[in-house]
Amino acid sequence: MVALSVRNLTVGIEGAPPLLSRISFDLAAGEHVGLIGESGSGKSLTAGALCGLLRPPIATSGGSILIEGTELLGRSPRAWRRARGADVFQIFQSPGTALTPGRRIGPQLAEAARRAGAEPERVVPPALDAVHLEQKVALQFPYQLSGGMKQRALIAMALILRPRVLIADEPTTGLDVLTENDVLSAINRMAAETQSAVLFISHDLRAVKKVADRVLVLHQGRLVEDCAATALAASGAEAARRLADAALTLQS
Amino acid sequence: MLRFLLIRMAVTLPTLLGMSFVAFAIVAIAPGDPVVMELRAMGVVPKPEDIAAIKAEYGLDRPFFVRYLDWLGHAVQLDFGVSVATGRSVAEEIALYLPATLALSLSALVGAISISLALGILAVTAGPVTAQGTRALTILLVSVPPFWLALLLIHAFVLNLGWARLVGDGSVSDLILPALTLSLGAGAALGRFVYERVTAERCEDYVRLAIAKGLGPMQILLGHIAPRIIGPLATAWANTLGGLLGGAVIVESIFGWPGLGQLILQAIGQRDFPLIQGYLVFMGLIFFATSLLADIVVILSDPQLRRRLSRD
Amino acid sequence: MTEAIPVRRFRIAPGRGGLTLGLVLLVLYALLSLAATPLSLPPPEEMDLLARLAPPSADHPLGTDHLGRDVLARIIAAIPVSLGAALAAMAAIMAIALPWGLVAGLAGGRVDMVLMRLADIVLAFPTLALALAVIGFLGASLEASIIGVVAAWWPSNARLVRALVLSARERDFVRAAYLAGASRLRVVIRHILPQILPPLAVVVSLETASVLLALSSLSFLGIGAQPPTPEWGAMLNEARPFFAQAPHMLLAPGIAVLLAVVAFNLIGEALRDLLDQRSPYRW
C-alpha cells in the first residue's frame, strides 16, 4: 500500500524559475527512503512542501501530494492542521531551537499525546524509554539537554504522534558520530514501532544507509535518481555518482 | 526568593538615589531664584535684605550638597515641605489627589491590556484582509491625540447623548469616559507591540514544530508563544502604566476627574516648586515599583534565569 | 532550511502603500505651509470680530474662531510651529541619544555601566510627568515644552541605540574588521553606523509621532505654545469653551494633528516591514 505519493510537485516563487520542478515519487507504508542531494538542491524545500510549512513568498505551484490516497495540496488551513501530526510529521535539522524553550519536555510530549488522542501518562514514559532517554528528562527544559538528547526527544514526539509519514530533515547534522548513531538507531526503533513510512533527508550517504535501503537523489531542484542505496555508485546520473564517491572518500 | 528581592532592591538603591537627586536638582538649577518667585507669588516685591533673610530662614544660603542631603532626609519621610499656593503640606495635597489618579491609571491599564490582546490576537489569527484592517485601525488609534479624542467623546456622550456628565464627584461611573480615552491609545500601542512580538516569534523554529504537530493558532499562541513573550509584555505593561500616569494629567483636566492632573497644572501655573517636586518623586516611585514588579515577572518567566536564581 | 532563497525580483511589500501614503501626507503639509498665499486666505492673526465662531463658508473654508480668525489660515500657519517643534525635539533627542548610545555600546565595561545607569535614572520617571516637572521649573512656553520632552525622551532612545550597536558589533564582518586591524573610528563609520541607521530610521519615525502627540498635548494643556501663536494643540485649547457652539473649531485642528501623527507612524511601520522581510510560518 502506498503511504505517500508525490506527483509533479513544483515549488517556487511566483514570477521566478521554480526551485523544485515536477518531483514525483512514492513511499510504501512502512518503507524507509533516503532523500539526498547537495546543499541547495531542494531537500528542505521538499520537506517543507510535504508538511505545508513553506514560507511566503515561496509556495507550491503545482502537482499533488497524496497521503493514503487523500490529496493535501489546495486544502484549507484547517484541513492541513488535521493532517499535520497524524498523517505527516517532521523532525527538523536544528534540534537546538526546535523545542519550545520555556516549557518542560514532559508537557511538550504530553501535548503531542493529546493531539494523537492518547493518554499522556500511558504513552510518554515508554516513548522516552524507546529513545533511551531517562524519565527525568520529562521534568527538564530544552536548554538543559544536549543536542542529541533534544533530537531524541523530538523522535519520542514522533513516536507518540504515530504519523503515517515521518520526514526527518537532516536530523544528525551538527552531532558527533556517537550521538549520530544514537539518534539513527532511535529513528529505526521509532519507525519499527509505529510502522510509519520514513523520508530521511541528508547530504550524508553514510547516515542515509543506516536508515534507508532506497535513495532518491535531488539535483538543482530535480529528482535525478531513484534506486537502491547500494546501486548509487553505478547510477546513470552524475550527481548521484558524485555523492556516492564522496561518501566512499570519507569512509576510507 | 526573598533574598532575591532584597538583592534586587539593593541594586536599585543607586537609581533611587539618582532619581531623588534629579528631582532635587531640577529646582536647584531652574532659572529664576525660587525665593524671589515665592515672594512674588505672595505679592511682595522683595528687597535684597529680605531675600537674604528668607534664604537664611529656608537654609538656601548653604552649599548645594548640604541642601540636597537635608532635602533627602526629609524626603525619605515623605516630607516635601509646604505647597506655596495652598499652604498645606505637599504630602497631604498629593495624598488627597493621588488615589483618583491611580484609580484612573490602573483602570485604563486594564482596559489597554484587554484592547491590546484583542487587537494583537485578531491581527495574527485573522485572514489577510481582516489582519490588514486591524493593523490600520491600530495605527489610527495610536495616532489619535488623547485630548482630542476626549473632546470628541464628550461631544458624543455628554452633549449629544447625555449618557455621562462632565463635572463628576469621582464616582465609578464618572471614571468610564476618561479611562476609555486613556486606554484606547495605550491599548493600540500595546496591541502593536503584541503583534510585533508574536510575528517575530512566529518566524522561530519552535513555532514550526508546534505547527508540524498539528496544533491550531490559539493552542500555539497560548501554549508556546505566550510563555516566551510574557516577560517582554510585563515590561511593556509597566511602561504603559508610566505613560498612563503621565497621560492622566491631560484627560483629568478635560473630564474634571479629581486627580493629580488638576493639581499639577495649577502648580505649574503658580510655580509651586515643592508641589511639583513632590509630584515628580511620587510618580517616579510608583513607576519604579511597577518596573520592579515587571522585572520579577521577566525573571520568573524564563526557566534559565529562574534556575540560576534558585541555585544562588 | 539550508536552501538559499534567491533574491526576489519584485514583491509587493505589505507596507509599501503605507509608506507612500505617509510620505504624501508629509509632502502635502510641506507644500501647504510653503504655498499658503495662493489660497488667498486672510492672515492668521487677522481678527474679524463681526464673524466670530462662523461655520465654514466660501470666505472661511474651515470657519472662524472665537476672535473671528480664519481657522484654515491658522492651521496652515501652525504647520511650521507644530511640526517644526516636533522635528526640533526629535533632532535634539537624537543629538543626545546617538552619541550616548554609541559610546556606551562601543566602550563597554565601566563607561557603559555609568552611562546606562544615568539613563536609567531619568528613565525611572514617567515620561510625561518628568516633562511636566521640567516645564514647571522653566515656566510654560513652547521652548520649555520642547526641553521637557527632550529631557524625558532621550534615555529610552539612548538605550535603543546602544542595543543596536551591541547587536551590530556581534556581526562577523565587524569582528573581522576589528581583527584585521581597522581603527575603531573606521569600524564605527564604515561598519557599525550603516548597520544601525535603517532600524534607527524606524525608531526616529515612530518616536517623532509620539513626540508630536506629546508636544501638542502640552500645548493643549496651556503649558506649551502660548496664544496667540498658531499651534494645533493650543488652537484646540482655545476652542474648548466654544465647543458646543462651534464644533468646527474642534474638528479641524484635531484632524491636522491626527494626520501628521498618522503619517509618521505609517512611515515607521512601513520601514519596519521593509527591513524585516522574514515571513512567519503559516498556521
PDB file of all heavy atoms in Angstrom, chain A residues 178-207:
ATOM      1  N   LEU A 178      29.138   9.463  17.615  1.00  0.00           N
ATOM      2  CA  LEU A 178      28.475   8.573  18.575  1.00  0.00           C
ATOM      3  C   LEU A 178      27.029   8.984  18.764  1.00  0.00           C
ATOM      4  O   LEU A 178      26.114   8.164  18.736  1.00  0.00           O
ATOM      5  CB  LEU A 178      29.214   8.610  19.915  1.00  0.00           C
ATOM      6  CG  LEU A 178      30.584   7.923  19.897  1.00  0.00           C
ATOM      7  CD1 LEU A 178      31.255   8.077  21.246  1.00  0.00           C
ATOM      8  CD2 LEU A 178      30.442   6.456  19.509  1.00  0.00           C
ATOM      9  N   THR A 179      26.821  10.310  18.942  1.00  0.00           N
ATOM     10  CA  THR A 179      25.470  10.812  19.130  1.00  0.00           C
ATOM     11  C   THR A 179      24.636  10.529  17.886  1.00  0.00           C
ATOM     12  O   THR A 179      23.469  10.173  17.967  1.00  0.00           O
ATOM     13  CB  THR A 179      25.513  12.334  19.380  1.00  0.00           C
ATOM     14  OG1 THR A 179      26.595  12.589  20.253  1.00  0.00           O
ATOM     15  CG2 THR A 179      24.236  12.823  19.976  1.00  0.00           C
ATOM     16  N   GLU A 180      25.289  10.662  16.730  1.00  0.00           N
ATOM     17  CA  GLU A 180      24.593  10.396  15.475  1.00  0.00           C
ATOM     18  C   GLU A 180      24.061   8.965  15.459  1.00  0.00           C
ATOM     19  O   GLU A 180      22.911   8.721  15.102  1.00  0.00           O
ATOM     20  CB  GLU A 180      25.568  10.628  14.309  1.00  0.00           C
ATOM     21  CG  GLU A 180      24.973  10.314  12.959  1.00  0.00           C
ATOM     22  CD  GLU A 180      25.986  10.508  11.835  1.00  0.00           C
ATOM     23  OE1 GLU A 180      26.556  11.608  11.772  1.00  0.00           O
ATOM     24  OE2 GLU A 180      26.190   9.577  11.047  1.00  0.00           O
ATOM     25  N   ASN A 181      24.884   8.027  15.911  1.00  0.00           N
ATOM     26  CA  ASN A 181      24.436   6.636  15.946  1.00  0.00           C
ATOM     27  C   ASN A 181      23.242   6.456  16.873  1.00  0.00           C
ATOM     28  O   ASN A 181      22.298   5.744  16.553  1.00  0.00           O
ATOM     29  CB  ASN A 181      25.580   5.719  16.383  1.00  0.00           C
ATOM     30  CG  ASN A 181      26.509   5.428  15.211  1.00  0.00           C
ATOM     31  OD1 ASN A 181      26.076   5.479  14.057  1.00  0.00           O
ATOM     32  ND2 ASN A 181      27.770   5.173  15.509  1.00  0.00           N
ATOM     33  N   ASP A 182      23.294   7.112  18.046  1.00  0.00           N
ATOM     34  CA  ASP A 182      22.158   7.039  18.979  1.00  0.00           C
ATOM     35  C   ASP A 182      20.887   7.506  18.292  1.00  0.00           C
ATOM     36  O   ASP A 182      19.836   6.868  18.382  1.00  0.00           O
ATOM     37  CB  ASP A 182      22.390   7.958  20.188  1.00  0.00           C
ATOM     38  CG  ASP A 182      23.444   7.400  21.112  1.00  0.00           C
ATOM     39  OD1 ASP A 182      23.770   6.205  20.953  1.00  0.00           O
ATOM     40  OD2 ASP A 182      23.933   8.160  21.976  1.00  0.00           O
ATOM     41  N   VAL A 183      20.994   8.667  17.617  1.00  0.00           N
ATOM     42  CA  VAL A 183      19.807   9.254  17.003  1.00  0.00           C
ATOM     43  C   VAL A 183      19.281   8.364  15.888  1.00  0.00           C
ATOM     44  O   VAL A 183      18.081   8.108  15.779  1.00  0.00           O
ATOM     45  CB  VAL A 183      20.128  10.674  16.477  1.00  0.00           C
ATOM     46  CG1 VAL A 183      19.004  11.188  15.587  1.00  0.00           C
ATOM     47  CG2 VAL A 183      20.367  11.618  17.634  1.00  0.00           C
ATOM     48  N   LEU A 184      20.203   7.842  15.057  1.00  0.00           N
ATOM     49  CA  LEU A 184      19.767   6.997  13.944  1.00  0.00           C
ATOM     50  C   LEU A 184      19.091   5.725  14.448  1.00  0.00           C
ATOM     51  O   LEU A 184      18.068   5.304  13.918  1.00  0.00           O
ATOM     52  CB  LEU A 184      20.965   6.655  13.044  1.00  0.00           C
ATOM     53  CG  LEU A 184      21.552   7.853  12.290  1.00  0.00           C
ATOM     54  CD1 LEU A 184      22.754   7.432  11.467  1.00  0.00           C
ATOM     55  CD2 LEU A 184      20.501   8.478  11.391  1.00  0.00           C
ATOM     56  N   SER A 185      19.662   5.117  15.511  1.00  0.00           N
ATOM     57  CA  SER A 185      19.023   3.886  15.987  1.00  0.00           C
ATOM     58  C   SER A 185      17.682   4.215  16.642  1.00  0.00           C
ATOM     59  O   SER A 185      16.748   3.419  16.577  1.00  0.00           O
ATOM     60  CB  SER A 185      19.937   3.106  16.930  1.00  0.00           C
ATOM     61  OG  SER A 185      20.365   3.936  17.980  1.00  0.00           O
ATOM     62  N   ALA A 186      17.590   5.412  17.234  1.00  0.00           N
ATOM     63  CA  ALA A 186      16.290   5.812  17.797  1.00  0.00           C
ATOM     64  C   ALA A 186      15.256   5.954  16.686  1.00  0.00           C
ATOM     65  O   ALA A 186      14.094   5.559  16.852  1.00  0.00           O
ATOM     66  CB  ALA A 186      16.426   7.134  18.562  1.00  0.00           C
ATOM     67  N   ILE A 187      15.677   6.515  15.563  1.00  0.00           N
ATOM     68  CA  ILE A 187      14.737   6.640  14.442  1.00  0.00           C
ATOM     69  C   ILE A 187      14.294   5.260  13.974  1.00  0.00           C
ATOM     70  O   ILE A 187      13.112   5.010  13.731  1.00  0.00           O
ATOM     71  CB  ILE A 187      15.400   7.418  13.277  1.00  0.00           C
ATOM     72  CG1 ILE A 187      15.541   8.889  13.661  1.00  0.00           C
ATOM     73  CG2 ILE A 187      14.562   7.294  12.003  1.00  0.00           C
ATOM     74  CD1 ILE A 187      16.189   9.746  12.604  1.00  0.00           C
ATOM     75  N   ASN A 188      15.247   4.316  13.878  1.00  0.00           N
ATOM     76  CA  ASN A 188      14.878   2.972  13.429  1.00  0.00           C
ATOM     77  C   ASN A 188      13.915   2.295  14.398  1.00  0.00           C
ATOM     78  O   ASN A 188      12.948   1.664  13.984  1.00  0.00           O
ATOM     79  CB  ASN A 188      16.142   2.121  13.260  1.00  0.00           C
ATOM     80  CG  ASN A 188      16.834   2.445  11.938  1.00  0.00           C
ATOM     81  OD1 ASN A 188      16.167   2.777  10.959  1.00  0.00           O
ATOM     82  ND2 ASN A 188      18.162   2.368  11.922  1.00  0.00           N
ATOM     83  N   ARG A 189      14.175   2.445  15.708  1.00  0.00           N
ATOM     84  CA  ARG A 189      13.268   1.840  16.683  1.00  0.00           C
ATOM     85  C   ARG A 189      11.883   2.460  16.571  1.00  0.00           C
ATOM     86  O   ARG A 189      10.869   1.777  16.605  1.00  0.00           O
ATOM     87  CB  ARG A 189      13.810   2.052  18.099  1.00  0.00           C
ATOM     88  CG  ARG A 189      14.861   1.049  18.513  1.00  0.00           C
ATOM     89  CD  ARG A 189      15.088   1.071  20.018  1.00  0.00           C
ATOM     90  NE  ARG A 189      15.469   2.396  20.505  1.00  0.00           N
ATOM     91  CZ  ARG A 189      16.726   2.874  20.422  1.00  0.00           C
ATOM     92  NH1 ARG A 189      17.681   2.159  19.862  1.00  0.00           N
ATOM     93  NH2 ARG A 189      17.004   4.062  20.885  1.00  0.00           N
ATOM     94  N   MET A 190      11.869   3.801  16.435  1.00  0.00           N
ATOM     95  CA  MET A 190      10.604   4.514  16.321  1.00  0.00           C
ATOM     96  C   MET A 190       9.827   4.014  15.109  1.00  0.00           C
ATOM     97  O   MET A 190       8.644   3.691  15.195  1.00  0.00           O
ATOM     98  CB  MET A 190      10.906   6.008  16.206  1.00  0.00           C
ATOM     99  CG  MET A 190       9.740   6.941  16.181  1.00  0.00           C
ATOM    100  SD  MET A 190       9.025   7.174  14.576  1.00  0.00           S
ATOM    101  CE  MET A 190      10.446   7.572  13.628  1.00  0.00           C
ATOM    102  N   ALA A 191      10.526   3.911  13.975  1.00  0.00           N
ATOM    103  CA  ALA A 191       9.856   3.510  12.739  1.00  0.00           C
ATOM    104  C   ALA A 191       9.338   2.081  12.851  1.00  0.00           C
ATOM    105  O   ALA A 191       8.239   1.773  12.384  1.00  0.00           O
ATOM    106  CB  ALA A 191      10.803   3.660  11.560  1.00  0.00           C
ATOM    107  N   ALA A 192      10.125   1.206  13.476  1.00  0.00           N
ATOM    108  CA  ALA A 192       9.694  -0.178  13.623  1.00  0.00           C
ATOM    109  C   ALA A 192       8.419  -0.247  14.463  1.00  0.00           C
ATOM    110  O   ALA A 192       7.511  -1.023  14.184  1.00  0.00           O
ATOM    111  CB  ALA A 192      10.806  -1.001  14.279  1.00  0.00           C
ATOM    112  N   GLU A 193       8.359   0.596  15.493  1.00  0.00           N
ATOM    113  CA  GLU A 193       7.206   0.511  16.379  1.00  0.00           C
ATOM    114  C   GLU A 193       5.954   1.133  15.759  1.00  0.00           C
ATOM    115  O   GLU A 193       4.849   0.629  15.940  1.00  0.00           O
ATOM    116  CB  GLU A 193       7.529   1.196  17.712  1.00  0.00           C
ATOM    117  CG  GLU A 193       6.564   0.776  18.794  1.00  0.00           C
ATOM    118  CD  GLU A 193       6.820   1.493  20.104  1.00  0.00           C
ATOM    119  OE1 GLU A 193       8.005   1.600  20.475  1.00  0.00           O
ATOM    120  OE2 GLU A 193       5.843   1.957  20.705  1.00  0.00           O
ATOM    121  N   THR A 194       6.131   2.271  15.075  1.00  0.00           N
ATOM    122  CA  THR A 194       4.945   2.969  14.580  1.00  0.00           C
ATOM    123  C   THR A 194       4.542   2.534  13.182  1.00  0.00           C
ATOM    124  O   THR A 194       3.466   2.869  12.717  1.00  0.00           O
ATOM    125  CB  THR A 194       5.213   4.483  14.512  1.00  0.00           C
ATOM    126  OG1 THR A 194       6.336   4.695  13.661  1.00  0.00           O
ATOM    127  CG2 THR A 194       5.500   5.063  15.876  1.00  0.00           C
ATOM    128  N   GLN A 195       5.413   1.791  12.498  1.00  0.00           N
ATOM    129  CA  GLN A 195       5.134   1.394  11.117  1.00  0.00           C
ATOM    130  C   GLN A 195       4.960   2.601  10.192  1.00  0.00           C
ATOM    131  O   GLN A 195       4.290   2.539   9.179  1.00  0.00           O
ATOM    132  CB  GLN A 195       3.879   0.511  11.047  1.00  0.00           C
ATOM    133  CG  GLN A 195       4.077  -0.865  11.667  1.00  0.00           C
ATOM    134  CD  GLN A 195       5.159  -1.659  10.945  1.00  0.00           C
ATOM    135  OE1 GLN A 195       5.125  -1.848   9.726  1.00  0.00           O
ATOM    136  NE2 GLN A 195       6.177  -2.092  11.685  1.00  0.00           N
ATOM    137  N   SER A 196       5.552   3.735  10.581  1.00  0.00           N
ATOM    138  CA  SER A 196       5.490   4.915   9.724  1.00  0.00           C
ATOM    139  C   SER A 196       6.405   4.729   8.526  1.00  0.00           C
ATOM    140  O   SER A 196       7.429   4.059   8.619  1.00  0.00           O
ATOM    141  CB  SER A 196       5.978   6.162  10.472  1.00  0.00           C
ATOM    142  OG  SER A 196       5.230   6.378  11.621  1.00  0.00           O
ATOM    143  N   ALA A 197       6.011   5.338   7.418  1.00  0.00           N
ATOM    144  CA  ALA A 197       6.944   5.458   6.309  1.00  0.00           C
ATOM    145  C   ALA A 197       7.889   6.609   6.648  1.00  0.00           C
ATOM    146  O   ALA A 197       7.455   7.610   7.209  1.00  0.00           O
ATOM    147  CB  ALA A 197       6.202   5.744   5.016  1.00  0.00           C
ATOM    148  N   VAL A 198       9.182   6.435   6.350  1.00  0.00           N
ATOM    149  CA  VAL A 198      10.141   7.472   6.731  1.00  0.00           C
ATOM    150  C   VAL A 198      10.821   8.027   5.477  1.00  0.00           C
ATOM    151  O   VAL A 198      11.307   7.270   4.642  1.00  0.00           O
ATOM    152  CB  VAL A 198      11.225   6.905   7.681  1.00  0.00           C
ATOM    153  CG1 VAL A 198      12.259   7.975   7.990  1.00  0.00           C
ATOM    154  CG2 VAL A 198      10.590   6.382   8.956  1.00  0.00           C
ATOM    155  N   LEU A 199      10.815   9.359   5.378  1.00  0.00           N
ATOM    156  CA  LEU A 199      11.618  10.018   4.347  1.00  0.00           C
ATOM    157  C   LEU A 199      12.774  10.678   5.072  1.00  0.00           C
ATOM    158  O   LEU A 199      12.589  11.625   5.828  1.00  0.00           O
ATOM    159  CB  LEU A 199      10.784  11.055   3.587  1.00  0.00           C
ATOM    160  CG  LEU A 199      11.513  11.738   2.438  1.00  0.00           C
ATOM    161  CD1 LEU A 199      11.821  10.736   1.335  1.00  0.00           C
ATOM    162  CD2 LEU A 199      10.691  12.881   1.862  1.00  0.00           C
ATOM    163  N   PHE A 200      13.976  10.100   4.874  1.00  0.00           N
ATOM    164  CA  PHE A 200      15.139  10.536   5.629  1.00  0.00           C
ATOM    165  C   PHE A 200      15.997  11.415   4.742  1.00  0.00           C
ATOM    166  O   PHE A 200      16.552  10.965   3.747  1.00  0.00           O
ATOM    167  CB  PHE A 200      15.926   9.312   6.104  1.00  0.00           C
ATOM    168  CG  PHE A 200      17.074   9.645   6.994  1.00  0.00           C
ATOM    169  CD1 PHE A 200      16.913   9.677   8.373  1.00  0.00           C
ATOM    170  CD2 PHE A 200      18.336   9.913   6.466  1.00  0.00           C
ATOM    171  CE1 PHE A 200      17.982   9.981   9.203  1.00  0.00           C
ATOM    172  CE2 PHE A 200      19.401  10.231   7.296  1.00  0.00           C
ATOM    173  CZ  PHE A 200      19.225  10.259   8.658  1.00  0.00           C
ATOM    174  N   ILE A 201      16.063  12.706   5.097  1.00  0.00           N
ATOM    175  CA  ILE A 201      16.768  13.662   4.250  1.00  0.00           C
ATOM    176  C   ILE A 201      18.153  13.911   4.801  1.00  0.00           C
ATOM    177  O   ILE A 201      18.323  14.151   5.998  1.00  0.00           O
ATOM    178  CB  ILE A 201      15.988  14.989   4.205  1.00  0.00           C
ATOM    179  CG1 ILE A 201      14.602  14.728   3.619  1.00  0.00           C
ATOM    180  CG2 ILE A 201      16.744  16.037   3.409  1.00  0.00           C
ATOM    181  CD1 ILE A 201      13.722  15.936   3.592  1.00  0.00           C
ATOM    182  N   SER A 202      19.153  13.833   3.942  1.00  0.00           N
ATOM    183  CA  SER A 202      20.513  14.102   4.406  1.00  0.00           C
ATOM    184  C   SER A 202      21.407  14.391   3.216  1.00  0.00           C
ATOM    185  O   SER A 202      21.081  14.056   2.083  1.00  0.00           O
ATOM    186  CB  SER A 202      21.039  12.891   5.185  1.00  0.00           C
ATOM    187  OG  SER A 202      22.352  13.153   5.613  1.00  0.00           O
ATOM    188  N   HIS A 203      22.515  15.039   3.493  1.00  0.00           N
ATOM    189  CA  HIS A 203      23.501  15.176   2.438  1.00  0.00           C
ATOM    190  C   HIS A 203      24.550  14.084   2.587  1.00  0.00           C
ATOM    191  O   HIS A 203      25.482  13.982   1.810  1.00  0.00           O
ATOM    192  CB  HIS A 203      24.160  16.556   2.496  1.00  0.00           C
ATOM    193  CG  HIS A 203      24.842  16.814   3.798  1.00  0.00           C
ATOM    194  ND1 HIS A 203      24.176  17.286   4.893  1.00  0.00           N
ATOM    195  CD2 HIS A 203      26.112  16.601   4.183  1.00  0.00           C
ATOM    196  CE1 HIS A 203      25.018  17.382   5.897  1.00  0.00           C
ATOM    197  NE2 HIS A 203      26.201  16.966   5.501  1.00  0.00           N
ATOM    198  N   ASP A 204      24.381  13.280   3.635  1.00  0.00           N
ATOM    199  CA  ASP A 204      25.413  12.323   4.034  1.00  0.00           C
ATOM    200  C   ASP A 204      24.919  10.899   3.764  1.00  0.00           C
ATOM    201  O   ASP A 204      24.050  10.385   4.456  1.00  0.00           O
ATOM    202  CB  ASP A 204      25.706  12.533   5.529  1.00  0.00           C
ATOM    203  CG  ASP A 204      26.787  11.600   6.029  1.00  0.00           C
ATOM    204  OD1 ASP A 204      27.251  10.760   5.232  1.00  0.00           O
ATOM    205  OD2 ASP A 204      27.149  11.711   7.208  1.00  0.00           O
ATOM    206  N   LEU A 205      25.487  10.296   2.751  1.00  0.00           N
ATOM    207  CA  LEU A 205      25.021   8.971   2.327  1.00  0.00           C
ATOM    208  C   LEU A 205      25.235   7.908   3.403  1.00  0.00           C
ATOM    209  O   LEU A 205      24.444   6.983   3.541  1.00  0.00           O
ATOM    210  CB  LEU A 205      25.745   8.578   1.034  1.00  0.00           C
ATOM    211  CG  LEU A 205      25.224   7.315   0.348  1.00  0.00           C
ATOM    212  CD1 LEU A 205      23.759   7.466  -0.011  1.00  0.00           C
ATOM    213  CD2 LEU A 205      26.036   7.040  -0.917  1.00  0.00           C
ATOM    214  N   ARG A 206      26.308   8.064   4.187  1.00  0.00           N
ATOM    215  CA  ARG A 206      26.568   7.075   5.250  1.00  0.00           C
ATOM    216  C   ARG A 206      25.406   7.012   6.216  1.00  0.00           C
ATOM    217  O   ARG A 206      24.929   5.951   6.584  1.00  0.00           O
ATOM    218  CB  ARG A 206      27.819   7.454   6.051  1.00  0.00           C
ATOM    219  CG  ARG A 206      29.126   7.330   5.289  1.00  0.00           C
ATOM    220  CD  ARG A 206      30.255   7.849   6.157  1.00  0.00           C
ATOM    221  NE  ARG A 206      29.930   9.161   6.716  1.00  0.00           N
ATOM    222  CZ  ARG A 206      30.033   9.488   7.985  1.00  0.00           C
ATOM    223  NH1 ARG A 206      30.461   8.616   8.858  1.00  0.00           N
ATOM    224  NH2 ARG A 206      29.711  10.701   8.400  1.00  0.00           N
ATOM    225  N   ALA A 207      24.943   8.191   6.642  1.00  0.00           N
ATOM    226  CA  ALA A 207      23.827   8.228   7.578  1.00  0.00           C
ATOM    227  C   ALA A 207      22.577   7.644   6.929  1.00  0.00           C
ATOM    228  O   ALA A 207      21.844   6.872   7.557  1.00  0.00           O
ATOM    229  CB  ALA A 207      23.576   9.664   8.034  1.00  0.00           C
TER     230      ALA A 207
END
